[in-house]
Amino acid sequence: MTWSDFEQAVALERDTLLRAMPIIPPTSSGVRRAVLDPADGSVRAFVTAGDVMGATPDGCVALLRIRPLLFGAAWKIADLFLEEAVTLAGETPDQRRGFSIERKRALARAQVGTPAFLPADIWKATALTYDGTALLRNSLVHQLVYVDSSDSLVGHDSNGGKLRPLTADEQEAFVHLALRLVEAAHQQQIDPRTDGDLRAQLARLKGIHKESLAGAVKLVPVPELTVVLDLGPDGSSYLLDVPDVRSRSPFKGDQYCDLVLQFRDRPGLILQPHLGVVASAFVVGAAGSGLAASAEA
């Protein structure tokens, strides 16, 4: 497997988690968004009210009480992330069908396979969180869990003993941790914004991994700019003129802006690089089954 294989394997879970529990949730004042279409020179900016009839993602999650299902989807992401990391580190499966959970837990406790794009302390806390939630995940799979009055997820071990409850806040932090791991694997690096948020999510999970991480940064809602791209004359790539996007963005006064790339000839397909870290030109190759992005000076 490769990190690209990992991304494809968790695509459905990632999409579900992003819709249900976005990393930076909308606020009651709304979410600022804009669409820039270079083809016609237009920029359409708008604000969506995040709390119309209580229909924020958080509100829907609370109403439907689906945090346990989201935790299960996030755990699958963490499981496959760790499996890819230890495989690339040269570890071999202990079973014909692959790595057993117990083998992966042992490797996690030993912090084997630190990805090159993750700081060692973040990997250690992530691996220990994986290990520390494995029994609860097993309990969830075998329907031996319940949600108490505080929305904590309570499970049982194989002997029927009660496991440490996972609070609602910890369930949400675990979801956001999983989403950040997918993002890091895609970009093969983490910028200061992602680094700070990973530390913030792991700080919420300290009761599980017991590690102390400095540098946590609580993120605030940021605007989202969608750019529509057309296939270039060569028929094999799309070119994004980042300076032009920055100059025409209605969010120039904001420290961060989430960039969403849409492809006119590929409905439903998007890329989400960070506008703050891409170079002056961004080439997106259309060859093959997927899209490969590279920066050009």
Side-chain angles (χ1 to χ4, degrees):
M1 284 182 63
T2 65
W3 286 116
S4 295
D5 295 327
F6 160 75
E7 285 188 76
Q8 293 180 16
V10 301
L12 177 59
E13 288 77 14
R14 172 186 177 274
D15 183 65
T16 299
L17 297 181
L18 280 174
R19 293 173 186 274
M21 202 173 287
I23 295 174
I24 305 177
T27 65
S28 59
S29 60
V31 178
R32 294 174 298 152
R33 291 188 172 93
V35 177
L36 189 159
D37 190 338
D40 60 16
S42 66
V43 179
R44 301 188 303 278
F46 52 94
V47 174
T48 57
D51 61 347
V52 176
M53 299 181 66
T56 62
D58 281 351
C60 292
V61 168
L63 177 65
L64 298 175
R65 304 192 78 185
I66 59 172
R67 281 192 193 90
L69 298 179
L70 301 180
F71 164 73
W75 206 89
K76 177 183 175 181
I77 290 176
D79 182 57
L80 292 180
F81 186 94
L82 186 135
E83 184 169 316
E84 182 61 31
V86 299
T87 298
L88 292 176
E91 297 294 330
T92 55
D94 58 330
Q95 298 179 343
R96 291 184 62 183
R97 58 185 178 84
F99 289 92
S100 67
I101 296 295
E102 286 308 309
R103 173 62 174 157
K104 283 185 279 191
R105 290 184 65 190
L107 293 170
R109 290 192 295 271
Q111 288 93 60
V112 173
T114 306
F117 50 83
L118 283 186
D121 58 343
I122 287 180
W123 173 244
K124 181 177 182 180
T126 298
L128 293 178
T129 299
Y130 169 88
D131 177 56
T133 54
L135 292 180
L136 182 60
R137 174 264 180 190
N138 290 345
S139 185
L140 179 65
V141 169
H142 295 292
Q143 301 180 12
L144 299 173
V145 298
Y146 67 91
V147 176
D148 66 15
S149 59
S150 65
D151 284 336
S152 293
L153 183 60
V154 184
H156 298 83
D157 60 26
S158 58
N159 296 319
K162 187 176 176 181
L163 297 171
R164 175 195 180 279
L166 192 68
T167 68
D169 183 67
E170 289 172 335
Q171 293 170 58
E172 294 179 9
F174 193 91
V175 166
H176 292 159
L177 170 64
L179 289 172
R180 285 301 193 193
L181 292 177
V182 179
E183 180 182 280
H186 174 72
Q187 298 193 14
Q188 291 292 290
Q189 63 178 336
I190 58 173
D191 57 27
R193 177 186 175 196
T194 301
D195 182 279
D197 188 51
L198 273 168
R199 295 174 185 277
Q201 304 309 329
L202 287 166
R204 297 165 68 187
L205 294 162
K206 186 177 180 180
I208 301 170
H209 58 71
K210 310 299 184 185
E211 297 295 309
S212 295
L213 283 77
V217 178
K218 182 178 180 180
L219 300 185
V220 296
V222 296
E224 180 182 277
L225 178 62
T226 297
V227 181
V228 182
L229 298 181
D230 289 295
L231 193 62
D234 61 1
S236 64
S237 64
Y238 306 80
L239 179 63
L240 172 65
D241 187 338
V242 177
D244 180 63
V245 170
R246 287 197 177 106
S247 68
R248 295 169 61 190
S249 169
F251 310 124
K252 287 190 277 293
D254 292 86
Q255 181 180 8
Y256 292 111
C257 177
D258 281 340
L259 180 64
V260 177
L261 304 183
Q262 288 187 351
F263 304 89
R264 201 185 308 277
D265 62 336
R266 297 189 176 194
L269 181 63
I270 65 171
L271 286 179
Q272 293 181 282
H274 285 171
L275 184 55
V277 298
V278 295
S280 59
F282 202 74
V283 177
V284 184
S289 59
L291 294 177
S294 61
E296 289 188 347

